[in-house]
Structure formats: C-alpha cells, structure tokens
C-alpha cells in the first residue's frame, strides 16, 4: 500500500555542471548566420545582446560546463525538484507501464523557466549589465526573469504579447510583484512596434513581434542587454539540470526510462529533461526513445521544413538552422501560449533531422482531456503546455497496456496551471475546438522564406 | 556560500500519527453545547453531520492518533513538504535571527488545507458517505476537498461565499476541474439561503451564511454529511503533520525554535505548525513563544471576548467556547479571505485564555509590504493569509536585530498567492487601505450575543 511516491534529492546531490549535448552529437548543429551578410555569426556580432560568458556557452563544445556557486545557491530556493511516480494515473489507465514525472512546477514562477533565468541574470550582473529587455508570451519566462533580475539589481523591461497582456493579467501582476516593468507589445517604444501598429493598429501581437521589439531596444542602447527564454543553445544547456537530477532520482528508484517526453515550444524544457538521457544513447549504448510533444496547431517538428529562418518577425535575429513553419506563421490562439512559436532551435532540429529524437503532435482537446485526468488522479493542475507531454505519456502508457509490456515512461511536468484556469473553464464549457492547420497554410507561410534567403 | 536552503524529509520519515494537544493541555477545552438545550453535545447529535470516526477524534483525549495507511499514501502526493531557511530574507533584514519557514504551498491545492481534506474524505468513504456539503470563503478549503472527494468517489457540493464566487473565478474553476459542484451562497437551495435573500437580495454572503446553508442541507438528508475546514478539534488534529515534520527537519538542521508563528483564521494552520512545539513546552520544559497572527480588521484574539458562540450566522452549529467578535460580525473585505472568521476554535481559545500562546494583529498594508519583500527575496509569492505570519516573523526578526540576539524563528507559509494576484495589483496601485475596527463596533456585535445565550 504505502509505496514511495516521490524521490527527493538532497541539495548536496544537485548537479554542479550543466551538460552540453553538442559534445556528443554525431552531427554538430549548423552555425547561425548573420541576417545581412548570411555569413556565420561571430561572437562580436552577438556582444551587443549578450554577456560574453553566455556567448561562449552558445558556441561551446565542452561536454560539461560548471554551474557557478552563486547560481547553485539560488537554484536551492526550489531545486532539486521532486520526481514523482504517478501511481494514481497508472491505476486509472490500467497500464502495465510505470509512469514517472519530474515536477518543475514547484519553482517560484511555477515552471522550469527559472533554471535559465537565474544564470542569465547572474552572468549579466557579473559583466556589469544594468538593464535587460526580453519578451514573453504567456508570461512564464517574463516572470521567471523578473525575480532573477530583481535579485541581481538589474532593471528589466518585458515586452508581453498584447493579447496575453490583457488575457493573462495575473502573469503581468506577478512580474510587477517581482519588480519588472511590463509593456504590451506591439508598443510605441520601438520602431518595430510603431511600424506594426501603423499597419495593424489592432494587432494582438506575437512572440516574434515582441522579440523584435526587445532586440531592437537592446541593440540601440549600449547599457542594455537582451535575454531569451528558449531556442538558443545556452538556454537549453541551463535546463539540463532537470534531466541530470531525474537521472539520479531514477537511479535511486532502480529504474531507467524507455521513453522520455517533453512538451515542445522552443525546446527548453524538452532539452532539459531529455538531453542527459540522449547522452546515454550516444555514449552508453542505451536506447531510450525521446519524444517531443507539440501542438497540432503549431506543428513545426512534424510538418515543418528544415532550413535557415529568423527567430523573430522583423528579421533582427541571426538566421538559425531550424525546423520551421516560417517566421510569419501565426498559430491558432491555443491556451498553451508557450508552445506557439514557429521554429525549433538548431540543436533540436539537427537531432530530429538525424532521427535521434521523435515528435508527435497533439490536438488541444486531447491535451485538456489528459490534463483533467492528471489533475483528478495526481492532484496537480498542469499548465496547458505540460498537458501535451501528459497526453503523449498517456498514449504511450496505453500502447504498453495493449502490448502487455512494462515500459518505464518519464515526462517533464514543466509547470502548473493555477494561472491558466480560464483555459480549463473554457474546456468544461465546451467552447474549445480543435483547429487543423492545412498543408496549404504551411506551404504559403514557408514560401515567404524563399524571398529572404 | 553554498548553504543548505531547504531540508527535505523522505517519505519514510513522515509522521504516522497525529498529535492531539488535548492530552497535554493543563486546562481542557470546555465542551460544545447543543444550540437549543445548551447542554453538552452528545456524539449522537453530531452523527447526522460527521462520520463516527471524526466524532471520536473530536472528543478524544488520546495523545496520539494513528494516521490510516490510505491517508498516509495520499499525503505522499505532496508531503513531506520542505522546510526552508530564509537566508535571502534574513540578509535583506540584516537580522541576527535565523528564519525558517515550512512550505505548505507545494500541495496540489496550494495550501495546507489538503492535510485535513484527505482524512475527512477518507473517513466518510469508509463509513459509506455518498454526498458531502461544505462551505468555502476564498476557495482554498473547497478546492482541497474537491480533489479528496473525487478520489474517494464522493459527490461534493461547495457553498462559496458569493462575493468570492465572482471575485475569485479561478478558485471556482479549480473546484470544477477536480469535479465538485460550486454554488454561490446565499442561494435558493436552502431555507437559510432563501431567508437571507428575502431580506437582502444583494447579500454578498459570508462564511457564516455559507456554513448555515451547507449544514442545513446535510441535516435534512440522511445520505449527506458535512465537512468543515477549520475551527474543530479533529481538523486541527490533522494539521499537526505540519509541525511534526518541522520538528524533525529542525532537528536535522540542529535547531529548535524560540518563536513559532502561524496566521490565524479559524486556527487550522496555526495549530498545525505550533501544537507539536507546545507539546515541548508542556512536557519537556521548552519555552517556545507561539504567536497567532490575525488581521487587524478581524481581531478576535486580541480584541474579542471569551464566551460561547455559534460557528455560523443562523445558529445551526453547536455553541463553542471561543474568543469571538460575535457570529454576526462582518469583517472588512480584506484580501485574506481565509482569515475573515468571527471566532477561534475551543482549543486555541483555551490556550490563549491560559496565556500559553500569544496573538498579534497586523494591518493589511503591513501584510502586503511583508509579502512583497518575501516574494522579492525568497521568490515565492505568498497567499494574503500567509503574509500575516510573514509580517509577524519580520517584526520579531527586527526585534532580535535591535537586541542583537540570535533567535530561531519558524513560521508557516500556509499557501501561495498565484490565484490572489489581483490583491497584489491593488496594493501596487495604491488602492488598498487599512480599516480600523472601532471598540464600539465590536461591543455592538458582541452585545447581540447576550440575547441568545
């Protein structure tokens, strides 16, 4: 009856280094290209945006990178996070599989985003940065960075996608409580914003537009740097604490995963949970299946194209080699705002191209069905983003049941849904619908890239 | 630099028994009286409302009561909760005191309420209950019980104070997500509700009214029981897991508290954190100061009167010996909805009468000031209720700093504030004011009791 439901690590067993998967990839990711010259971007070109230590991490091929003591110390506010065995969910499914989940919802911001917010703020602080700009969609990243910047005495401006600014006022209030300044994007503060507003005064904004605004402001001011919460190599690197802890916790449980699942927006929580297990595949002959769970309405991994594309709408960022739907693709307004991004980072894209990871897309109704079952069995209300990982975990657990096989499934619970309850309300009221992207829409969006590249 | 910030217990070190303080109280609490006969209430009289096992706990004087294995098993969904050392807060205050806090915000409902929701649903299930009614103010208790009832296949109706029903839609959605039925109170479903609505069609409701409705519905239907989230002895008993775990965790840290603090509404989280340390005072010669932190706008402990009073507005509940402001007292509409209750339970009231605990009242602006400092140092956004405990902890830490003494302070972080962000927003916008209760108001409210008793 009384089985261990959670495995804790003590703080002294926390990882002291991040894992850099580039060291072990059979094919290294292609380099980012300068948006104008189309030549590989130099460290100098990135220097106006990022502190040098983060640029070094961005291009590093060292296998392990030390986590500074000050960062470890701040991680301890909420890390190590618990690893749960989902006994109640297993029972409800009647599955022969074991389901584990890493609970990143216990952080101060309620998601995995602080894992990179803390080191990014720290390295900026060490190099004397006084101001940072960033963008945020649903607000998870912005709130994570707000606390981190406040801690290091850095002033933070967050460009928040306008539709979320009004739909998710609680996230804005969180950022204010941690001391950040939040601006609805597109705004009149930047040329990019003014240009968009001139053409579309009622623009609801998008993550791509908000990135353009934040990058422009940082580029124009010597005292201001920029921070990004996903996609880039150094961001994925910082998130590997998730998988490194899980590895140790599963060792304590006496298990190793057959399947590892993360939801997929820009790739940060997916990379965090899975890269340390891909290391097992690359260097120890393990055969863990790694699955990215993306929304059917933003299917860059399952239906996108591998090619160079911009990270933002206006084309300010370097060109990245990515699975993309085109940087002007506007996904349906699903509740999983953190997954509404047109492209995948260069590492993940290379891994997918080389068939070293898999991807599955999930429709919105299936994700909420999975989320409600999870809430009623395991208690925790998952973030709409995380329900994508849960849905795929349930698919795989039911497949194991059919086969009568005993699979070990691990997924990342990237965040809780306390601030997204309106989404659940809409689901229960029957007002949520599935939106199918047509091949023609994707083709049209991708065709615009030919003009640029 | 890298000090341990959190102390975890493993699941096998969780308490297997609840601590019943009645066994060690120098003066036992006075018995509850029947509302009509004014004679001590018999177990039989409570049987329509509660399962027999909870009634036994309500009147028990056994020192330790076993926690059923099934309840321990469900506790493991989130327990044991971490004990944090608030290094960053200490540093901001420049205090010579050590500040520890028990983090009950990590439960599925975001507060300590599941500690009693789980066993209450369990005992009802064991005795065949199919339906339960309850009331909820801000929604913490209702949401905790929703998951618990759903787990045991019990249908739950929650009477939610009408003003909260509309002001806190997220909490209602939480309850729906866990499968409960939520009704705005006063409602037309009960005689009590209809009576109130006939006199005051626009009544915003109150906890007292909602209790009347829930109790009436349970009294009238043989298949329906009632559940309460605070005040009663068995509820306080279940919460002692908080303090029992803290005791073990502080032992690991090599410390013992000089001061223990809990915010105070009906007494459940306060009792949970403090009773196991009062045991130390009663049986081991310890001298820990135990402080209840109540809102200045509902000052029953600091300015109320010790006497028999009803638990609800309509006078359906037994008369309890309590520090009270009178059961018709309507506190100012502060954001800490969970602390807006007119009376304290009989155990806590007896302890205060015997000078074995202390109480301090805190004005709303001081609580939010404390809450924001806590959020910006320790990261976690505290519930408005919990900010009362933080404010008193800060007062005591600053006092220690003045004296240059090294006190160990422990407080209970009873919940997080993710769903209460509107309160913070109002604080930042400067729209929050302190409301002073006058002596005349309290006297007037208490004078109504003379007519009844």
């Amino acid at each position: 009856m009384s089985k261990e439901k959670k495995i804790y690590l003590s703080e002294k067993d926390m990882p002291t280094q991040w894992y850099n998967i580039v060291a072990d990839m059979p094919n290294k990711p292609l380099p980012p290209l300068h948006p104008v010259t189309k030549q590989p971007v130099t460290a100098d070109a990135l220097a106006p945006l990022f502190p040098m230590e983060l640029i070094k991490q961005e291009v590093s091929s060292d296998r392990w990178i030390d986590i500074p003591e000050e960062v470890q110390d701040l991680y301890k506010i909420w890390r190590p996070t618990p690893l749960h065995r989902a006994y109640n969910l297993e029972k409800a499914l009647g599955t022969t599989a074991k389901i584990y989940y890493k609970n990143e919802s216990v952080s101060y911001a309620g998601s995995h985003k602080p894992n990179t917010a803390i080191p990014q703020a720290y390295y900026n602080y060490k190099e004397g940065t006084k101001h940072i700009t960033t963008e945020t969609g649903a607000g998870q990243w912005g709130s994570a960075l707000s606390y981190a910047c406040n801690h290091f005495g850095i002033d933070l401006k967050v460009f928040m996608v306008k539709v979320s600014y009004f739909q998710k006022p609680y996230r804005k209030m969180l950022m204010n409580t941690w001391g950040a300044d939040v601006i609805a994007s597109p705004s009149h503060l930047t040329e990019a914003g003014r240009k968009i507003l001139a053409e579309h005064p009622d623009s609801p904004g998008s993550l791509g537009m908000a990135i353009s605004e934040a990058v422009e402001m940082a580029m124009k001011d010597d005292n201001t740097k920029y921070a990004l919460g996903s996609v880039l190599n150094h961001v994925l690197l910082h998130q590997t604490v998730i998988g490194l802890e899980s590895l140790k916790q599963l060792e304590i449980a006496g298990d190793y995963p057959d399947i590892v699942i993360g939801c997929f927006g820009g790739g940060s929580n997916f990379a965090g949970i899975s890269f340390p297990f891909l290391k097992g595949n690359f260097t120890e002959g393990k055969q863990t299946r790694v699955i990215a769970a993306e929304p059917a309405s933003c299917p860059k991994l399952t239906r996108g194209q591998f090619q160079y594309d911009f990270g933002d709408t206006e084309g300010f960022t370097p060109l990245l080699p990515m699975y993309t739907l085109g940087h002007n693709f506007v996904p349906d307004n699903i509740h999983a705002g953190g997954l509404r991004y047109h492209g995948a980072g260069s590492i993940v894209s290379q891994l997918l191209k080389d068939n070293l990871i898999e991807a599955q897309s999930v429709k919105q109704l299936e994700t909420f069905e999975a989320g409600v079952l999870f809430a009623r069995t395991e208690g925790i209300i998952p973030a709409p983003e995380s329900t994508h990982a849960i849905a795929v975990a349930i698919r795989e657990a039911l497949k194991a049941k059919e086969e009568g096989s005993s699979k070990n499934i691990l997924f990342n619970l990237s965040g809780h849904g306390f601030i997204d309850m309106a989404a659940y309300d809409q689901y229960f009221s029957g007002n949520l619908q599935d939106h199918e992207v047509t091949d023609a829409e994707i083709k049209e969006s991708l065709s615009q890239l030919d003009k640029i590249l």
Side-chain angles (χ1 to χ4, degrees), chain A residues 1 3 86-95 97 99 377-378 401:
Chain A
M1 167 57 69
K3 293 166 286 190
Y87 283 111
N88 290 335
L89 176 60
E90 289 172 19
K91 199 174 152 196
L93 296 171
T95 180
I99 306 177
T377 50
E378 295 297 311
K401 178 185 177 181

Side-chain angles (χ1 to χ4, degrees), chain A residues 11 13 22 62 97-98 106 113-114 127 174 205 236 242 255 271 346 386 388 423 446:
Chain A
E11 292 181 357
D13 293 323
V22 173
D62 295 347
K98 292 184 191 174
V106 299
K113 292 294 185 192
E127 298 185 26
L174 273 176
L236 275 50
I242 302 173
D255 274 326
S346 51
S386 312
H388 290 72
L446 285 170

